Amino acid sequence: MHVVSPQIRQQMQDASWIRRMFDAGLELKQRVGADKVFDFSLGNPDVPPPAAAAAVLRGLADRAVSPMGLGYCPNAGLPSVRATLARKISAEQQAAVEARHVLLTCGAAGGLVTFFRAVLEAGDEVLCPAPYFVEYGAYAGHFGGVLRTVPTKAPGFALDVAALDEAIGPRTRVVVVNSPNNPTGGIYDAATLRALGEVLARRNAGRERPIFLVSDEPYRALAYDGATVPPVLPVSPFTVVVGSFSKSLSLAGERVGYLAANPAMPDVQLLVDALTMTNRTLGFVNAPVLGQRLVEQLVDETVDVAIYDRRRHAMAAALRGAGIRFAMPQGAFYFFPEAPGGDDRRFVELLLEENVLAVPGRGFGFPGHFRLTFCVDEQVIARAAPAFARAAAKAR
Ligand SMILES: Cc1ncc(COP(=O)(O)O)c(C=O)c1O
């Protein structure tokens, strides 16, 4: 008897690495106590939202109990919120984005699914650099899309533009880039993005169904050492930006994100109308209204990024002390170091023996490395340092 579709059964198997680590972590926490486990496997932002959120929420509570205060809103989002985000996105993207180009979504995840539903046909390919956020495969697969990955280059997991160019074929419909990156913490530089834009311009010439560039950037606000995340809209007219407030405001459970389509895109309004429709008919209907009103008033705020930065340094010190090689993350809250001994699965098992939870790089389409998150207190990271050193010594 088959209660689950073959496609979803396959997705469940493909996602098994992160699930396996999650299950192993649960078992370990039950056995030794949660306070004895160093859990660097989950990217759940734990830095509190900005203090201003409390007053804003109290104000919203009074308005919420008015008629329609919590009712449906337009499928594309509240008009004033779209306008506020258009101003923010215009500044970040150096483009004249208007409210009509912006759609409120259920997180960046909801935005990606909404976009794929609107543009993909069965057999279309979605290209993305590896390592990558594994959910892309499932998101595209729901609509018959096929994910193809192209490895990044050393040093620092840079985009291999020539390899992406070569991987583009007649069925390529979307190129997805994610910067700051999950799992590497890398930020793609402006010159590389421009080079990618030139490839897309050449490949899109005379093409009936354009190749879109999707910039998935929920970590834009988390950048360190004064790094800025270059704009992507100027790179290609067929660019769509996907973002959210899950990380910038630690609102991941509230599911507020957005899509912004390039005003320079031919037929941009048709695309936004299509996205409005797919956002509705996928069952999202509209992004949560309380969350929309909350982000409207907190649009210029971020969580205390200095907290993440201190953890980044603590993790770097722990890894250095263990002789583990890594590229220093420039943004987001992940490290993607080399697995000592070369086998990521074995090294993650050795870490598990030390009560440290991490995810093997093969779970992100890039074996030989492993992912650590720093959504964990600085002290916990420091206390884990000897465990990293012991596991690394065993691996060698
Ligand atoms: C690269 C990337 N894209 C998208 C998402 C989805 O984020 P959300 O839907 O919470 O905005 C995540 C979440 O971890 C992510 O890491």
Side-chain angles (χ1 to χ4, degrees):
M1 198 161 76
H2 291 307
V3 291
V4 174
S5 80
Q7 191 197 7
I8 296 302
R9 273 207 302 275
Q10 186 63 47
Q11 285 184 7
M12 289 164 80
Q13 257 167 32
D14 293 347
S16 65
W17 261 113
I18 296 176
R19 255 222 342 264
R20 223 177 294 172
M21 290 318 299
F22 186 74
D23 292 343
L26 277 184
E27 192 273 323
L28 188 63
K29 284 173 189 169
Q30 262 165 12
R31 190 153 46 82
V32 303
D35 57 323
K36 305 255 174 10
V37 176
F38 303 108
D39 190 348
F40 303 122
S41 67
L42 280 183
N44 197 355
D46 66 318
V47 168
V56 174
L57 277 172
R58 274 193 288 272
L60 290 178
D62 292 335
R63 271 174 64 194
V65 291
S66 61
M68 289 296 291
L70 294 175
Y72 291 122
C73 82
N75 300 124
L78 293 161
S80 65
V81 183
R82 296 175 79 190
T84 302
L85 290 191
R87 281 192 292 278
K88 177 184 165 66
I89 297 164
S90 293
E92 287 172 353
Q93 293 289 342
Q94 295 168 21
V97 176
E98 298 170 29
R100 65 192 175 92
H101 304 125
V102 178
L103 183 88
L104 272 295
T105 59
C106 291
L112 288 163
V113 174
T114 295
F115 178 76
F116 287 146
R117 169 71 277 196
V119 305
L120 290 182
E121 290 173 37
D124 280 350
E125 291 178 357
V126 175
L127 267 190
C128 91
Y132 65 100
F133 178 56
V134 273
E135 304 288 70
Y136 293 150
Y139 295 168
H142 287 318
F143 316 111
V146 181
L147 192 75
R148 284 192 64 188
T149 62
V150 175
T152 49
K153 300 190 291 194
F157 308 100
L159 280 187
D160 189 340
V161 176
L164 282 165
D165 187 7
E166 225 165 89
I168 290 175
R171 293 309 305 267
T172 306
R173 182 62 156 152
V174 183
V175 176
V176 181
V177 292
N178 163 225
S179 171
N181 187 267
N182 174 8
T184 71
I187 294 177
Y188 300 135
D189 64 70
T192 307
L193 290 170
R194 271 198 304 275
L196 178 60
E198 282 159 20
V199 165
L200 292 178
R202 178 161 42 78
R203 295 298 199 137
N204 273 335
R207 199 172 170 117
E208 203 175 331
R209 299 174 68 230
I211 303 168
F212 292 97
L213 176 62
V214 170
S215 180
D216 177 28
E217 42 188 68
Y219 301 95
R220 172 172 277 276
L222 306 186
Y224 309 108
D225 298 331
T228 50
V229 182
V232 183
L233 287 188
V235 159
S236 161
F238 294 100
T239 304
V240 170
V241 171
V242 181
S244 86
F245 299 90
S246 292
K247 283 81 186 185
S248 64
L249 296 175
S250 282
L251 293 187
E254 275 311 301
R255 315 306 304 132
V256 190
Y258 56 85
L259 277 166
N262 197 337
M265 190 188 308
D267 284 336
V268 64
Q269 211 53 57
L270 178 62
L271 178 69
V272 176
D273 290 349
L275 296 169
T276 306
M277 162 114 185
T278 55
N279 192 43
R280 182 182 102 214
T281 56
L282 284 167
F284 299 124
V285 181
N286 57 247
V289 282
L290 270 184
Q292 289 189 52
R293 293 205 171 98
L294 182 61
V295 304
E296 180 176 25
Q297 294 191 55
L298 296 176
V299 71
D300 296 322
E301 303 260 352
T302 61
V303 294
D304 186 353
V305 179
I307 298 176
Y308 283 125
D309 195 20
R310 285 198 295 275
R311 295 170 174 185
R312 186 177 69 116
H313 285 291
M315 186 66 91
L319 293 172
R320 251 182 237 121
I324 296 173
R325 287 152 50 102
F326 61 93
M328 188 67 165
Q330 301 162 287
F333 41 55
Y334 305 102
F335 278 74
F336 199 60
E338 288 176 24
D343 182 340
D344 53 322
R345 190 187 332 203
R346 175 169 144 72
F347 187 63
V348 163
E349 276 159 11
L350 290 173
L351 285 173
L352 199 57
E353 288 174 13
E354 300 291 339
N355 294 353
V356 173
L357 300 179
V359 183
R362 65 192 63 209
F364 305 92
F366 211 82
H369 289 249
F370 64 104
R371 191 190 77 168
L372 300 167
T373 70
F374 44 100
C375 296
V376 173
D377 192 83
E378 207 181 324
Q379 312 295 329
V380 177
I381 296 172
R383 277 200 286 118
F388 281 116
R390 282 192 300 270
K394 278 194 218 164
R396 293 186 195 107

